[in-house]
Amino acid sequence: MKHPIKNNVSWIGKIDWELRRFHGDEYSTHRGSTYNSYLIEAEKVAVIDTVWAPFAKEYVAQLEQAIDLGKIDYVIANHAEIDHSGALPELMRRIPDVPIYCTANGVKSLRGHYHQDWNFRPVKTGDKLSLGSKELIFVEAPMLHWPDSMFCYLTGDDILFSNDAFGQHYASEHMFNDLVDQAELMAECIKYYANILTPFSELVTKKIQEVLGFNLPVDTICTSHGVVWRDNPIQIVQRYLAWAEGYQENQISLVYDTMWNGTRIMAESIATGLREADPAVNLKLFNLAKSDRNDVITEIFKSRALIVGSPTINRGILTSIAGLLEEVKGLKFRNKKAAAFGCYGWSGESVKLLRERLESAGFPVVEDGLRCLWNPDREGVAACLEFGRRLAGLL
Ligand code: FEO
């Protein structure tokens, strides 16, 4: 379980190949995840973060094989969320007097979760902890992505322990970014950013600039999920800077749900018209009821526009689409236009509702949207084709 990272720094976490849902049931993890904990064995010994609660006993047992627990001088809790602090109760039961270094918000959060009065040592940006010949420098990172989040930097080895930032839900027996499939790695990185970090994009940019402003050399980035960035670690920092600035590719996502295929026929006809008018755009269609919501959100994040379709049901829209728009609203995507469509049988409110929800989620909506009565007939399909051609010039 102990895996060398650099000099006297080791990984002591858990690779969770079985994980398929995270944050309760909110986030799909097709490739599993890891909970990364690190052990620094300098003149003083520090443990940085732990693992998710179900692995607490396994973690402490393995840690005990790696080092005599009595030799641990400091515990660093970069983040109080359960996937990183979950093994703290088991560990602190064994070493109850060892100080825990975290932010002031971390103290509140850890107390709130575990109701324990551990030996907390709150730290602020710039505070240092000597490990002998090396020291840890703390950097608060509030709302990246919780109020308590922080980074720490190890001098001498030039390692940034960034916790959730720059991570990805990606299980691998390889520890390092240069050893894994690069397409898989970047797919998981952008999914992680799109689904978790987008609401905090302005803070991402400011925090990265602040850390770069310290002029500390960064040789390695040790995140709390996924691989350790040892090969050109700045590449993921640069990706974050790009993703934080209203990121878009030449892509349009067309997301719909359908009851009796009318809205599906509309979606495919709109796509045909759009493709005729703009052959270069990467146009992707998703029936949301048959797609993974987090994967669709990632595709929306990559898009320059979102076209959403739902039939009318009970004067409203289908629940899959309603749930997606609620989540997208919270994610605060920027720099993406939108349009709406849907078929109906009698009352026909869906397109108006979609337009309103897209606008309230911050998407500039072009046109009033397109409605089709019952299943689209030849004229209805022609209207969809024309709508798609018009959208090519508007989105
Ligand atoms: Fe990986 Fe915010 O916990």
Side-chain angles (χ1 to χ4, degrees):
M1 165 245 204
K2 184 178 173 184
H3 195 293
I5 298 296
K6 184 178 180 185
N7 297 330
N8 51 14
V9 179
S10 307
W11 178 94
I12 48 166
K14 172 67 185 176
I15 304 171
D16 188 352
W17 283 99
E18 290 191 355
L19 190 76
R20 289 296 176 270
R21 307 297 301 181
F22 191 72
H23 280 161
D25 207 33
E26 283 296 296
Y27 187 106
S28 59
T29 49
H30 309 310
R31 297 186 175 100
S33 191
T34 72
Y35 318 107
N36 297 341
S37 172
Y38 299 97
L39 176 67
I40 306 172
E41 295 172 272
E43 290 82 353
K44 295 286 187 179
V45 174
V47 169
I48 299 180
D49 294 320
T50 66
V51 301
W52 189 28
F55 303 104
K57 286 189 186 301
E58 176 182 333
Y59 167 79
V60 173
Q62 302 235 26
L63 181 59
E64 202 165 15
Q65 287 183 17
I67 190 167
D68 174 356
L69 297 185
K71 291 186 175 169
I72 296 172
D73 296 292
Y74 311 117
V75 171
I76 317 297
N78 275 336
H79 180 27
E81 198 166 6
I82 316 302
D83 49 328
H84 309 296
S85 67
L88 268 182
E90 183 70 17
L91 179 61
M92 299 315 292
R93 197 171 59 77
R94 303 290 303 279
I95 50 172
D97 299 323
V98 170
I100 299 177
Y101 290 76
C102 60
T103 62
N105 279 327
V107 177
K108 290 182 197 168
S109 191
L110 289 169
R111 279 202 175 117
H113 281 121
Y114 303 112
H115 316 123
Q116 298 289 324
D117 210 12
W118 291 318
N119 182 9
F120 292 113
R121 304 281 174 91
V123 293
K124 295 181 175 163
T125 295
D127 287 352
K128 297 175 181 176
L129 176 64
S130 174
L131 303 181
S133 55
K134 302 170 187 175
E135 59 186 8
L136 282 168
I137 304 174
F138 299 103
V139 181
E140 295 167 277
M143 300 319 297
L144 292 179
H145 67 124
W146 271 23
D148 66 285
S149 299
M150 75 170 181
F151 306 159
C152 55
Y153 176 85
L154 180 64
T155 63
D157 292 320
D158 304 339
I159 299 176
L160 179 68
F161 296 91
S162 61
N163 197 263
D164 282 331
F166 313 125
Q168 69 293 151
H169 289 301
Y170 185 30
S172 171
E173 295 294 326
H174 295 300
M175 278 296 132
F176 299 103
N177 68 306
D178 50 302
L179 300 180
V180 299
D181 182 298
Q182 297 301 292
E184 286 185 355
L185 173 61
M186 292 319 298
E188 292 301 335
C189 285
I190 196 168
K191 177 178 178 178
Y192 188 93
Y193 190 95
N195 283 271
I196 296 175
L197 286 162
T198 322
F200 313 113
S201 283
E202 284 182 22
L203 299 171
V204 167
T205 306
K206 282 184 188 161
K207 185 53 60 179
I208 288 175
Q209 287 166 348
E210 179 190 330
V211 173
L212 293 176
F214 296 153
N215 288 320
L216 296 168
V218 176
D219 178 73
T220 305
I221 297 178
C222 288
T223 74
S224 59
H225 296 292
V227 295
V228 168
W229 297 91
R230 71 173 178 186
D231 176 46
N232 184 20
I234 293 304
Q235 66 177 294
I236 189 61
V237 179
Q238 288 166 339
R239 295 274 187 146
Y240 266 48
L241 286 171
W243 292 337
E245 287 296 316
Y247 184 73
Q248 59 169 237
E249 299 173 11
N250 186 17
Q251 175 172 321
I252 294 177
S253 291
L254 205 158
V255 182
Y256 64 94
D257 197 353
T258 189
M259 292 171 69
W260 298 109
N261 280 329
T263 301
R264 177 183 64 78
I265 292 168
M266 288 187 75
E268 293 175 359
S269 303
I270 292 166
T272 300
L274 215 163
R275 192 178 61 248
E276 283 173 13
D278 185 358
V281 70
N282 187 9
L283 188 57
K284 295 185 180 176
L285 276 68
F286 302 96
N287 178 332
L288 193 58
K290 300 176 189 294
S291 308
D292 180 279
R293 194 179 73 249
N294 303 112
D295 292 343
V296 171
I297 284 172
T298 308
E299 295 300 332
I300 296 170
F301 177 72
K302 289 157 62 180
S303 298
R304 60 179 163 89
L306 168 65
I307 307 173
V308 183
S310 170
T312 300
I313 179 170
N314 299 333
R315 297 184 176 274
I317 58 178
L318 290 175
T319 55
S320 64
I321 297 292
L324 175 81
L325 293 177
E326 178 66 18
E327 188 160 357
V328 164
K329 182 180 180 182
L331 289 171
K332 296 183 180 170
F333 286 161
R334 291 177 293 166
N335 199 25
K336 301 176 194 310
K337 294 178 181 173
F341 67 95
C343 65
Y344 66 105
W346 51 100
S347 63
E349 292 92 339
S350 70
V351 172
K352 177 173 175 288
L353 291 169
L354 290 173
R355 207 170 56 235
E356 290 170 357
R357 294 199 187 186
L358 284 163
E359 282 170 348
S360 78
F363 291 78
V365 180
V366 301
E367 294 224 349
D368 287 340
L370 183 67
R371 300 192 309 162
C372 277
L373 183 59
W374 305 116
N375 256 9
D377 57 9
R378 187 178 300 177
E379 283 182 10
V381 168
C384 291
L385 290 167
E386 180 51 30
F387 184 61
R389 292 185 199 105
R390 283 203 311 279
L391 289 181
L394 295 170
L395 296 175

